[in-house]
Amino acid sequence: MELINYLEQLLVWIVAHLDGPIWNLTIVILLGVGLFFTITTGFVQLRLFPVSIQEMWFGRAAEGSSLTPFQAFATGLASRVGVGNIGGVATAIALGGEGAVFWMWITAFIGMSSAFAESTLAQLFKIQDKDGTYRGGPAYYMVQGLKSRSMAVAFAVALIFTFGFAFNSVQSNSIVEATRNAWDWQGEYVGIVLVILTAAIIFGGIKRIAVISSSLVPMMALFYLIMAVIILGMNIELVPTVISNIIKSAFTFDAAAGGFFGAMVSKAMMMGIKRGLFSNEAGMGSAPNAAAAAHVKHPVSQGLVQMLGVFVDTMMVCTCTAIVILLSNNYGGEELKSISLTQNALQYHVGEFGLHFLAFILLLFAYSSIIGNYAYAESNVRFIKNKPWFVLLFRLTVLFFVYFGAVRSGNVVWNFADTVMAVMAILNLVAIVLLSPIVWKLLKDYQLQLKAGKIPEFKIENYPELKKRVFEQDTWK
C-alpha cells in the first residue's frame, strides 16, 4: 500500500507540473492539425461524407479478408461505446458545464479529417505477417514514412503508458464507481477480482472470458443506445432547449488554468476537448493500429470508414449521453461526477433499473476495454523489444495499474490519463502533418477513380516513390 501511496503522490506532482503546459500545446496542435487537414483535403469530412457511408454500408472486403467494412465498422462502434461515451461525457459536463459538449462536437468535426489522414496512412504502411494478417499504426508509418525509429519508439512508449497503464486505471476506477453506487461493492475487492480476471486473459489462461465479453459487449452497447434514444423520445419537446443551452454555455468564459494561454481557454473548452479526444480518439494515434488490420482495396476507403466512426461516436453516441444527463434533475454539483452523474440521470429517467443496468454494462464495457487496451499496448511493447522478460515485466505493470485505478480517486487516474494521452497525440499529429503530401496523393488517386466511375483500387506500382518506402512491397499488388 505504501508503494501505491507513493505512486499517487508522484502522479499528482507530475500532473500538477506538466498537465497544464502539455494541454496548452495539445489544444493548439490538435485543432491546428485538424483545421490543416480539413482545409487541404477540401473539407473531406463534408465532401466525402456520403461516400464514407457507402464505403461502410456497401463496401466489400478485399480478397482474403473475413470482415466486410460494415462488420468492421459495427465492431469498432461496439468497442467505442464505453467509459468514454458514458463516464467521459459526464466528467466533461461536471467539470466544464453544458458548454463542454459543444467543444466535444467541434473536436470531433475537425478531428474527422485527422482520423481520415492517420487511418489512410496506417493502411498504406501496414505490413503482412506470415499468417496473412496485417498490422501497422503510427510506429510503422513513422519508421517507414519518416525513417525515424527514435520517434516511433517514443510514440510506442507513450502508447504503452496511455493504454497499458493510464487508460486501464480509468477503466477499473469506473467499474469500482459504478458497482459501488449500485451494489456497494468495495474497491479493494473489485480491484483484486479485476487483476485475477485480467491476468487470466493476458497470460493466456482463460480464453472463454474474452469470447463471452466480445459477444456481450455489442449487445449491451445496443441496449444502452436504445435506452438513450427512448429517453430522448420521451422528452423530445425539451431537446431543442437543451441543445440551445449547450451552445450558449460554450461561450461563457471561465478560465481553465493560470498563465497567459491557460487564462484564454475556458473550462468548457478544455474539458470538451479532453473528453472528446478520450472518446473518439481522432488524431490520438490509437485507431490506426486497428485500421491497419483491415484489408481493403484502397487506403482511402479505410480512412473514410474511420472518419465516419468519429462522427457516430461523438455526434451521436456522446450527444445522446449528454442530453440524457442534461434532462435530469441534477448535473451541476460537485458531488456527482463521471459514472455517478450518468447513473443518477438514468435513475431519474427510468428508476432504480437504470442504476443497476448501467453498473452491469459498465462492468462489461470497462473489462473488455482493459483487454483491448492491453492488446494495443503489447503490440507496441513487442515493437520496442520482443523479449519474454520484457513482455512479462510489462504484464505485471499492467496488473498493478488495474489495481491502482480500483483503489485510488477518479481525479488522480483521469488526470494521469489526460497527461499521457496528450503526449501520445502530439507525437502522432506531428507525424501525420509531415506525411500529409502522401495523404493528398492517395486522396487524389481515390477521387480520380471515383470520378471515372470505377471502384477505387490502389496499385503501388503506379507510385514508385511510395513503393520504396513500404516494407512489404507486395502488400498492394
Side-chain angles (χ1 to χ4, degrees):
M1 191 59 73
E2 280 190 24
L3 176 61
I4 291 177
N5 290 334
Y6 175 76
L7 178 61
E8 181 177 25
Q9 293 172 12
L10 178 63
L11 292 179
V12 169
W13 184 88
I14 291 173
V15 168
H17 288 81
L18 295 181
D19 188 63
I22 287 176
W23 267 100
N24 290 344
L25 179 63
T26 302
I27 287 176
V28 172
I29 296 178
L30 186 68
L31 298 182
V33 171
L35 286 170
F36 172 75
F37 278 109
T38 295
I39 294 169
T40 58
T41 60
F43 283 79
V44 66
Q45 64 266 61
L46 292 179
R47 277 191 312 110
L48 295 185
F49 187 79
V51 180
S52 70
I53 297 175
Q54 292 174 359
E55 284 282 4
M56 178 273 295
W57 197 260
F58 299 109
R60 294 289 180 266
E63 189 177 341
S65 176
S66 59
L67 290 180
T68 66
F70 175 76
Q71 288 171 325
F73 176 82
T75 302
L77 177 60
S79 67
R80 275 193 177 92
V81 180
V83 172
N85 305 92
I86 301 172
V89 173
T91 305
I93 293 172
L95 300 180
E98 299 160 290
V101 180
F102 174 83
W103 293 108
M104 291 183 76
W105 294 340
I106 296 298
T107 304
F109 175 74
I110 295 175
M112 286 171 72
S113 63
S114 302
F116 165 78
E118 63 183 356
S119 293
T120 298
L121 288 168
Q123 267 291 312
L124 176 66
F125 292 109
K126 68 186 180 184
I127 64 174
Q128 189 171 17
D129 290 327
K130 292 179 181 179
D131 62 359
T133 59
Y134 294 93
R135 58 187 169 91
Y140 294 83
Y141 53 68
M142 287 171 184
V143 168
Q144 298 180 67
L146 296 177
K147 306 299 181 185
S148 176
R149 179 165 177 82
S150 59
M151 186 179 190
V153 170
F155 175 83
V157 170
L159 187 145
I160 290 164
F161 270 83
T162 302
F163 279 84
F165 308 151
F167 281 9
N168 278 342
S169 293
V170 169
Q171 303 298 337
S172 59
N173 184 270
S174 299
I175 290 174
V176 167
E177 183 178 349
T179 54
R180 181 189 293 125
N181 292 338
W183 308 311
D184 200 29
W185 288 2
Q186 295 302 305
E188 294 83 358
Y189 301 121
V190 174
I192 291 171
V193 173
L194 283 176
V195 167
I196 293 171
L197 291 177
T198 304
I201 292 295
I202 67 178
F203 285 102
I206 307 174
K207 299 295 185 183
R208 187 170 296 178
I209 296 177
V211 174
I212 293 173
S213 67
S214 65
S215 302
L216 284 175
V217 166
M219 185 169 62
M220 291 297 101
L222 180 62
F223 286 162
Y224 173 75
L225 290 175
I226 290 173
M227 179 180 288
V229 170
I230 289 174
I231 292 172
L232 264 61
M234 291 165 55
N235 299 274
I236 193 66
E237 72 282 356
L238 299 175
V239 172
T241 302
V242 170
I243 294 175
S244 175
N245 290 338
I246 288 172
I247 296 172
K248 289 177 184 176
S249 300
F251 301 98
T252 301
F253 188 81
D254 186 2
F260 177 74
F261 186 83
M264 295 173 62
V265 178
S266 70
K267 286 183 179 179
M269 183 178 182
M270 180 69 81
M271 292 309 303
I273 293 173
K274 281 185 176 183
R275 295 297 164 259
L277 182 61
F278 182 89
S279 176
N280 61 50
E281 301 177 12
M284 189 195 298
S286 52
N289 291 273
H295 191 186
V296 294
K297 292 182 180 296
H298 199 290
V300 167
S301 298
Q302 189 62 32
L304 291 174
V305 171
Q306 180 61 30
M307 181 183 81
L308 181 63
V310 173
F311 175 85
V312 173
D313 173 88
T314 304
M315 301 299 195
M316 296 176 65
V317 182
C318 287
T319 299
C320 282
T321 298
I323 294 177
V324 166
I325 291 172
L326 296 175
L327 285 169
S328 68
N329 62 334
N330 184 5
Y331 58 83
E334 285 291 311
E335 69 278 2
L336 288 176
K337 294 180 182 178
S338 190
I339 301 301
S340 299
L341 184 54
T342 313
Q343 283 183 302
N344 175 76
L346 285 182
Q347 188 175 15
Y348 173 80
H349 291 295
V350 298
E352 287 294 316
F353 169 76
L355 182 71
H356 300 293
F357 172 75
L358 193 61
F360 178 68
I361 64 169
L362 243 298
L363 187 60
L364 292 175
F365 286 153
Y367 176 64
S368 65
S369 293
I370 288 173
I371 298 169
N373 291 345
Y374 168 81
Y376 268 158
E378 190 194 86
S379 66
N380 283 269
V381 167
R382 294 186 183 277
F383 175 83
I384 295 172
K385 195 175 188 68
N386 194 9
K387 297 289 184 181
W389 68 266
F390 193 64
V391 175
L392 175 61
L393 179 62
F394 163 70
R395 288 174 174 175
L396 293 175
T397 309
V398 168
L399 296 178
F400 173 80
F401 274 97
V402 167
Y403 185 77
F404 176 83
V407 297
R408 296 294 104 173
S409 72
N411 285 341
V412 172
V413 296
W414 276 102
N415 290 339
F416 173 41
D418 285 339
T419 303
V420 293
M421 173 177 70
V423 174
M424 177 179 159
I426 289 171
L427 290 169
N428 181 60
L429 291 165
V430 169
I432 63 175
V433 167
L434 294 175
L435 293 169
S436 57
I438 296 177
V439 177
W440 304 332
K441 189 171 295 186
L442 293 171
L443 179 58
K444 183 179 180 181
D445 178 77
Y446 180 91
Q447 290 180 133
L448 286 174
Q449 294 186 57
L450 204 64
K451 192 174 181 181
K454 301 177 182 177
I455 297 176
E457 186 170 356
F458 182 67
K459 296 181 179 179
I460 191 71
E461 57 266 25
N462 294 339
Y463 297 92
E465 72 282 9
L466 293 181
K467 192 172 182 180
K468 295 176 183 177
R469 303 167 82 168
V470 177
F471 283 157
E472 302 292 335
Q473 295 185 8
D474 62 345
T475 299
W476 288 103
K477 279 186 179 179

